[in-house]
């Protein structure tokens, strides 16, 4: 998930105000202007002027650019903008919900106001599952406006006379051809898509729904209504995948103290046979690697921004559980010095996924948003995905190359070839910090709530 956009050396006069959509079309601005004018007629002229200014600015700013959206696509020219939008709209968007069955041990039927980190964790896991189960170039068919084949170019309804002139066999063949070349091609993947969505629905039986995540959080001292940090959520996701019978070929590994122990990952991924022996690729389990880090003290250390961008550009990166202080966001890319994100802070009604062809629109977002890197909270969890053993080794090499660029400061995290010596299988996650003292820096205790659970780099 990554997005980098260069804008021909121009500075936007409205970047502070437009901390919103990456692409803000004149049509969308016009609709906003219309809503304003209904409340205040005097604002109509200002709305029209804003629409013209934004449209003109976008024509200059987005005339030519480069965008990378994680491992999904790379855009180099403005005419490829639709490709970016299709890829972005295919990401699962998991937000606050209301009206679901009460959470265990309380009467809460919504996670609005407290569950945003759980939701961003769900989005990161969902991205990993889409890579795990879908073809690499999959996009949500409902967002495909381009024709699938030349048969779809004929969008003219037959007249009554021409319809009756065709015999029934010809009409049946035409109908079968259209289905086979159109929707039938998408049906197997669409079924998997809906199954993945159903795993995150807000119901006690959903393996990655809010009910299950809250239940698993109890072992870490958390309950419904509490604030969940990115590190706590990483371990909750690990437990949820381990407990799920739907994903026998996938594991989740959580780095300890900003260290990925490669031998522990190998042990986790190797398949165990009945005789106790293990096998290697291609029988390896796929793995999602989650790395909780803290990139600064009270604020993000700007020296890490370049490294974060490079990580987001990697094929193996599946996003970052991050955000602003006490305001979690799912980071998926960047544009210049702005990070792109999906925002869970939008409360929607619960969807009944037991209904056939349940609506999917509320699980996908059409409009990417952005904010300056300088506003990013230093506490975050970075996610990676490796399909097999070969991909894991490539991941280690690629990530190490990126981390080597942060040698001016302490590396964000490290790889170690051996196992963790003091690892405990069922260790309880606590809100402790390992402090690393810099040169000429006095030792101190930081009490900010946003600093719990993390190694301070």
């Amino acid at each position: 998930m990554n997005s980098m956009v260069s804008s021909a050396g121009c500075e936007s006069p409205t970047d502070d105000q437009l901390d919103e959509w990456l692409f803000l079309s004149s049509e969308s601005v016009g609709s906003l202007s219309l809503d304003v004018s209904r409340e205040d007629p005097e604002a109509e002229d200002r709305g029209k002027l804003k629409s013209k200014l934004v449209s003109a600015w976008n024509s200059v700013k987005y005339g030519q650019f480069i965008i990378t959206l994680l491992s999904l696509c790379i855009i180099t020219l403005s005419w490829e903008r639709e490709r970016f939008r299709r890829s972005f709209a295919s990401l699962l968007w998991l937000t606050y919900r209301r009206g679901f069955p009460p959470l265990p041990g309380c009467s809460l039927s919504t996670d609005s106001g407290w569950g945003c980190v759980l939701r961003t964790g769900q989005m990161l896991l969902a991205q990993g599952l889409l890579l795990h189960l879908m073809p690499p170039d999959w996009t949500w068919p409902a967002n495909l406006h381009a024709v699938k084949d030349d048969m779809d170019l004929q969008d003219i309804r037959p007249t009554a006379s021409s319809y009756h002139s065709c015999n029934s066999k010809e009409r049946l063949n035409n109908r079968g051809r259209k289905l086979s070349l159109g929707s039938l091609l998408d049906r197997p993947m669409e079924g998997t898509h809906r199954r993945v969505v159903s795993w995150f629905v807000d119901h006690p039986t959903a393996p990655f729904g809010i009910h299950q995540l809250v239940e698993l959080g109890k072992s870490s001292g958390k309950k419904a209504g509490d604030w969940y940090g990115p590190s706590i959520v990483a371990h909750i996701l690990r437990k949820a995948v381990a407990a799920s019978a739907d994903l026998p070929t996938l594991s989740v590994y959580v780095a300890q103290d900003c260290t990925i122990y490669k031998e522990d990952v190998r042990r986790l991924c190797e398949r165990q046979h009945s005789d106790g022996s293990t096998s290697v690729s291609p029988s390896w389990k796929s793995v999602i690697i989650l790395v909780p880090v803290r990139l600064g003290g009270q604020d993000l250390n700007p020296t890490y921004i370049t490294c974060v961008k490079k990580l987001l550009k990697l094929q193996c990166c599946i996003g970052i559980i991050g955000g602003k202080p006490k305001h979690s966001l799912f980071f998926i890319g960047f544009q210049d010095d702005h990070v792109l994100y999906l925002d869970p802070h939008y409360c929607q009604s619960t969807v009944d996924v037991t209904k056939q062809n349940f609506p999917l629109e509320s699980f996908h977002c059409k409009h990417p948003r952005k904010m300056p890197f300088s506003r990013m909270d230093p506490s975050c969890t970075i996610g990676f995905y490796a399909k097999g053993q070969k991909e894991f080794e490539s991941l280690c090499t690629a990530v190490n190359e990126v981390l080597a660029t942060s040698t001016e400061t302490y590396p964000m995290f490290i790889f170690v070839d051996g196992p963790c010596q003091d690892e405990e299988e069922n260790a309880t996650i606590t809100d402790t910090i390992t402090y690393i003292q810099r040169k000429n820096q006095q030792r101190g205790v930081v009490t900010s709530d946003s600093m719990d659970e993390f190694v301070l780099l």
Side-chain angles (χ1 to χ4, degrees):
M1 294 177 170
N2 47 67
S3 170
M4 182 180 68
V5 180
S6 57
S7 53
C10 297
E11 293 291 335
S12 170
T14 57
D15 271 350
D16 292 337
Q17 291 85 1
L18 295 181
D19 180 19
E20 37 182 279
W21 316 129
L22 173 62
F23 301 121
L24 189 57
S25 65
S26 58
E27 291 82 359
S28 62
V29 176
S31 63
L32 292 174
S33 305
L34 181 59
D35 293 337
V36 172
S37 64
R38 290 172 179 170
E39 299 177 1
D40 183 8
E42 295 181 359
E44 183 174 1
D45 292 337
R46 294 196 300 272
K48 291 180 179 179
L49 178 60
K50 179 179 179 181
S51 176
K52 292 179 180 179
L53 289 174
V54 172
S55 179
W57 171 247
N58 283 341
S59 298
V60 174
K61 183 164 186 174
Y62 303 116
Q64 183 172 3
F65 51 88
I66 300 175
I67 296 182
T68 308
L69 185 65
L70 289 184
S71 59
L72 297 178
C73 67
I74 296 178
I75 298 180
T76 57
L77 296 172
S78 58
W79 54 267
E80 289 185 289
R81 191 176 304 176
E82 184 60 27
R83 181 186 175 196
F84 170 84
R85 285 175 168 161
R86 289 201 309 269
S87 298
F88 174 83
S90 298
L91 301 174
L92 285 190
W93 181 41
L94 301 167
T95 71
Y96 288 153
R97 295 283 176 171
R98 62 179 180 273
F100 52 71
L103 293 166
C106 65
S107 59
L108 289 174
S109 59
T110 180
D111 62 318
S112 179
W114 59 270
C116 58
V117 188
L118 292 174
R119 295 301 185 181
T120 53
Q122 284 181 322
M123 285 189 270
L124 183 142
L125 177 59
Q127 176 60 17
L129 296 184
L130 291 180
L131 290 180
H132 183 62
L133 299 172
M134 297 293 206
D137 57 348
W138 174 84
T139 55
W140 185 30
N143 291 283
L144 291 178
H145 302 295
V147 295
K148 292 184 176 66
D149 50 67
D150 57 352
M151 290 188 66
D152 290 332
L153 293 174
Q154 300 178 359
D155 194 24
I156 304 176
R157 294 181 179 273
T159 62
S161 59
S162 63
Y163 179 82
H164 290 293
S165 65
C166 299
N167 57 50
S168 59
K169 185 177 181 179
E170 290 175 339
R171 293 197 299 269
L172 183 60
N173 288 339
N174 289 337
R175 181 173 180 271
R177 286 184 66 200
K178 185 172 182 61
L179 285 174
S180 64
L181 291 175
S183 60
L184 285 180
L185 290 175
D186 298 322
R187 283 185 180 181
M189 290 300 96
E190 186 57 21
T192 303
H193 172 216
R194 287 181 174 274
R195 187 167 76 255
V196 172
V197 170
S198 69
W199 290 341
F200 293 92
V201 74
D202 304 300
H203 192 274
T205 60
F208 312 123
I210 192 75
H211 295 76
Q212 175 72 349
L213 300 187
V214 168
E215 182 66 27
L216 293 173
K218 290 181 179 179
S219 62
S220 299
K222 298 294 183 180
K223 63 181 184 300
D226 286 349
W227 172 260
Y228 293 73
S231 180
I232 290 289
V233 170
H235 286 276
I236 290 175
L237 296 179
R238 174 182 59 82
K239 297 174 185 177
V241 172
S244 173
D246 297 300
L247 296 167
T249 61
L250 179 68
S251 296
V252 174
Y253 173 84
V254 181
Q256 301 184 44
D257 297 332
C258 296
T259 305
I260 297 175
Y261 294 93
K262 297 168 67 174
E263 183 61 30
D264 291 338
V265 177
R266 294 188 181 98
R267 291 176 181 175
L268 183 66
C269 294
E270 288 175 346
R271 300 285 185 86
Q272 195 77 26
H273 294 295
S274 57
D275 59 358
S277 62
T278 57
S279 61
V280 295
S281 181
S283 299
W284 255 40
K285 288 184 178 182
S286 301
V287 62
I288 292 175
I289 299 175
L290 303 178
V291 188
V293 296
R294 185 170 184 88
L295 308 178
Q298 296 293 333
D299 302 308
L300 177 71
N301 187 335
T303 59
Y304 288 113
I305 292 178
T306 299
C307 191
V308 171
K309 290 181 179 180
K310 291 182 178 180
L311 288 175
L312 286 170
K313 292 174 69 175
L314 294 178
Q315 292 289 318
C316 57
C317 184
I318 57 175
I320 299 176
I321 302 173
K324 297 175 282 190
K326 296 298 182 182
H327 188 94
S328 186
L329 302 168
F330 181 42
F331 295 144
I332 57 173
F334 65 94
Q335 172 193 3
D336 291 335
D337 293 324
H338 289 72
V339 61
L340 306 185
Y341 63 85
L342 284 168
D343 190 352
H345 298 87
Y346 178 57
C347 195
Q348 305 184 85
S349 298
T350 299
V351 175
D352 184 3
V353 299
T354 61
K355 295 182 178 179
Q356 188 176 11
N357 297 325
F358 60 88
L360 290 166
E361 288 74 16
S362 67
F363 296 99
H364 293 275
C365 182
K366 296 181 180 179
H367 306 290
R369 304 188 70 176
K370 62 179 182 178
M371 75 172 195
F373 269 103
S374 59
R375 298 175 61 189
M376 177 178 169
D377 190 284
S379 298
C380 58
T381 291
I382 307 170
F384 303 96
Y385 171 78
K387 189 77 171 179
Q389 184 179 13
K390 181 180 178 180
E391 289 78 8
F392 171 67
E393 299 299 338
S394 298
L395 180 156
C396 295
T397 300
V399 174
N400 262 323
E401 290 177 356
V402 171
L403 296 177
T405 63
S406 63
T407 53
E408 295 181 0
T409 58
Y410 293 105
M412 295 171 61
F413 55 93
I414 61 174
F415 288 84
V416 172
D417 289 331
C420 178
Q421 298 299 325
D422 57 352
E423 179 183 8
E424 295 181 7
E425 184 69 23
N426 298 315
T428 301
I429 308 304
T430 58
D431 295 342
T432 60
I433 309 174
T434 299
Y435 292 91
I436 302 177
Q437 186 177 13
R438 298 181 185 274
K439 294 181 179 180
N440 301 323
Q441 184 180 45
Q442 293 183 349
R443 187 183 303 270
V445 177
V446 185
T447 58
S448 171
D449 292 337
S450 68
M451 295 191 63
D452 58 359
E453 317 164 50
F454 294 94
V455 173
L456 179 60
L457 298 181

